[in-house]
């Protein structure tokens, strides 16, 4: 029986603060709280800044999370077969150049049984389409010399695959250096600040509930008269004063801790450093794409000039 009573007391002790906070919260929502402890203006300003930072993280991650999806720029209107995705464009070009018959050329475009599907990006799709188109023209141009358009398409295919690989490298960098960093800030640092703010709110509710209990302010439903004991703050018992002081100390301590946590979240350089890494990854990708296409462009231009010359000569 003694053990049961002790258990009941422990349960009551742990439940009472929660019940008191809940009752105080309901009273405030119903407009029955006479004296609500106000948070410092500086604290409220920190809360607004943390909320803004959280909103920024959610907004940016909602968009940039696409970097984790390989096919974010892959055309939805095309259908590629297993054979299309079975080999890299570079491998196909090597096999096609070594082919001595139409059968060998066709085999070069056929995926081996154990092939790993190639990436589904826009640049890779362009590369595969360009190589297949080059093969079609070469097949129809057999024995009549080299088709300049087929040659240009093949070179364009190789370049496009390189651009696609550069895009994948960019995505990997962004995933590890930006997405991971901002996700950590959101799910760890900002969440830690949120928990600290909840602790402040709980201690504030507990303080006001303690004050209301000491003054004898009773809970009542809307429309009913409020129950109140006669008495002023000066008439509070020593026990009541001690409880209020303890609640005030808890409130001040939780507030100071939350201020430190929020300042740490707002002052950390990690989000800006992560953003710089994202920009660096994008810059590297576009730089590589520029270099690849800059090397290809004069080659294709030369093929076009040579074709114009041959066409002009054939007119005479």
């Amino acid at each position: 029986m003694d053990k049961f009573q002790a258990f009941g007391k422990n349960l009551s002790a742990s439940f009472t603060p929660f019940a008191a906070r809940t009752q105080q919260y309901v009273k405030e929502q119903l407009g029955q709280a006479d004296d609500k402890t106000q948070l410092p203006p500086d604290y409220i300003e920190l809360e607004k800044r943390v909320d803004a930072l959280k909103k920024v993280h959610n907004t940016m991650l909602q968009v940039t999370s696409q970097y984790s999806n390989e096919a974010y720029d892959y055309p939805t209107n095309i259908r590629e077969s297993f054979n299309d995705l079975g080999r890299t464009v570079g491998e196909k070009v090597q096999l096609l150049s070594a082919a001595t018959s139409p059968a060998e050329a066709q085999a070069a475009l056929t995926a081996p049984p154990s092939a790993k599907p190639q990436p589904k990006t826009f640049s890779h799709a362009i590369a595969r389409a360009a190589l297949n188109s080059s093969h079609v023209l070469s097949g129809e141009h057999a024995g009549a010399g080299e088709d300049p358009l087929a040659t240009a398409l093949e070179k364009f295919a190789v370049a496009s695959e390189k651009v696609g690989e550069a895009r994948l490298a960019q995505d990997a960098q962004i995933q590890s250096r930006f997405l991971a960093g901002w996700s950590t800030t959101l799910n760890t640092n900002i969440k830690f600040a949120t928990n600290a703010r909840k602790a402040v709110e709980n201690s504030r509710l507990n303080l006001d509930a303690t004050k209301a209990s000491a003054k004898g302010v009773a809970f009542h439903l809307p429309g009913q008269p409020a129950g109140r004991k006669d008495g002023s703050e000066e008439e509070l018992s020593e026990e009541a004063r001690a409880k209020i002081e303890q609640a005030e100390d808890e409130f001040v301590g939780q507030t100071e801790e939350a201020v430190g946590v929020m300042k740490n979240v707002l002052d950390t350089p990690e989000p800006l450093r992560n953003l710089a890494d994202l920009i660096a990854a994008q810059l590297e990708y576009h730089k590589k794409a520029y270099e690849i296409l800059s090397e290809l462009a004069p080659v294709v231009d030369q093929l076009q000039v040579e074709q114009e010359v041959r066409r002009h000569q054939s007119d005479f």
Side-chain angles (χ1 to χ4, degrees):
M1 185 66 179
D2 292 339
K3 291 183 178 179
F4 180 78
Q5 289 178 341
F7 173 77
K9 290 180 179 179
N10 292 335
L11 181 62
S12 176
S14 61
F15 178 74
T16 300
F18 171 77
R21 291 196 303 269
T22 302
Q23 187 181 71
Q24 180 65 23
Y25 176 78
V26 173
K27 286 168 60 179
E28 291 177 359
Q29 297 304 305
L30 296 176
Q32 298 177 10
D34 295 334
D35 186 17
K36 180 178 177 180
T37 301
Q38 299 299 315
L39 291 163
D42 291 346
Y43 179 91
I44 295 175
E45 183 64 25
L46 286 174
E47 282 192 314
K48 291 179 179 179
R49 291 178 60 195
V50 170
D51 287 339
L53 185 64
K54 181 178 180 179
K55 182 178 181 180
V56 166
H57 274 68
N58 281 321
T59 300
M60 286 295 294
L61 286 172
Q62 186 177 20
V63 177
T64 56
S65 62
Q66 287 299 306
Y67 283 112
S68 298
N69 172 26
E70 178 187 282
Y72 64 74
D73 63 351
Y74 184 75
T76 58
N77 62 321
I78 64 173
R79 298 291 181 268
E80 294 186 296
S81 67
F82 176 74
N83 283 334
D84 294 325
L85 302 172
R87 299 183 194 273
T88 68
V89 166
E91 290 172 340
K92 291 178 181 179
V93 169
Q94 289 182 347
L95 291 172
L96 285 171
S97 64
T100 57
S101 67
E104 290 183 358
Q106 186 58 43
L109 300 175
T110 303
S114 59
K116 178 183 176 181
Q118 294 304 300
K120 284 190 172 183
T121 74
F122 187 40
S123 292
H124 283 88
I126 290 177
R128 290 187 287 266
L131 184 61
N132 289 338
S133 298
S134 173
H135 176 65
V136 169
L137 290 177
S138 297
E140 297 299 326
H141 209 265
E146 194 174 84
D147 185 322
L149 180 56
T151 301
L153 283 168
E154 180 180 295
K155 294 183 181 298
F156 179 50
V158 173
S160 293
E161 184 173 65
K162 291 179 180 178
V163 171
E165 291 300 313
R167 202 222 77 181
L168 292 177
Q170 168 206 244
D171 296 353
Q173 291 293 319
I174 291 175
Q175 289 174 42
S176 64
R177 296 185 179 181
F178 176 79
L179 293 179
W182 274 49
S183 295
T184 297
T185 299
L186 177 64
N187 299 321
T188 302
N189 299 8
I190 294 178
K191 186 176 181 181
F192 190 37
T194 299
N195 292 337
R197 291 166 60 182
K198 287 180 179 178
V200 170
E201 179 63 8
N202 286 338
S203 65
R204 201 269 311 160
L205 287 170
N206 183 60
L207 171 59
D208 290 347
T210 302
K211 288 180 178 179
S213 177
K215 295 177 182 179
V217 179
F219 172 76
H220 62 281
L221 295 174
Q224 294 181 342
R228 179 187 292 272
K229 298 176 183 177
D230 293 333
S232 63
E233 188 172 344
E234 289 75 11
E235 297 174 349
L236 295 178
S237 66
E238 289 299 322
E239 181 182 1
R241 291 177 183 276
K243 287 183 178 180
I244 292 175
E245 289 178 3
Q246 182 180 0
E248 286 176 341
D249 291 342
E250 176 69 15
F251 172 66
V252 171
Q254 293 290 357
T255 302
E256 290 177 347
E257 181 178 348
V259 166
V261 172
M262 288 192 288
K263 284 184 176 180
N264 182 64
V265 170
L266 294 169
D267 293 342
T268 180
E270 283 302 309
L272 188 54
R273 183 181 298 122
N274 299 147
L275 180 61
D277 288 337
L278 181 149
I279 295 171
Q282 289 184 327
L283 176 61
E284 181 65 18
Y285 161 59
H286 290 291
K287 180 181 177 182
K288 285 185 177 180
Y290 173 79
E291 291 172 350
I292 293 167
L293 295 176
S294 293
E295 184 178 342
L296 171 66
V299 174
V300 175
D301 286 343
Q302 183 60 32
L303 288 170
Q304 189 265 333
V305 169
E306 292 174 355
Q307 185 184 42
E308 287 288 343
V309 170
R310 285 196 298 270
R311 178 169 176 249
H312 180 71
Q313 292 174 343
S314 66
D315 291 338
F316 292 94

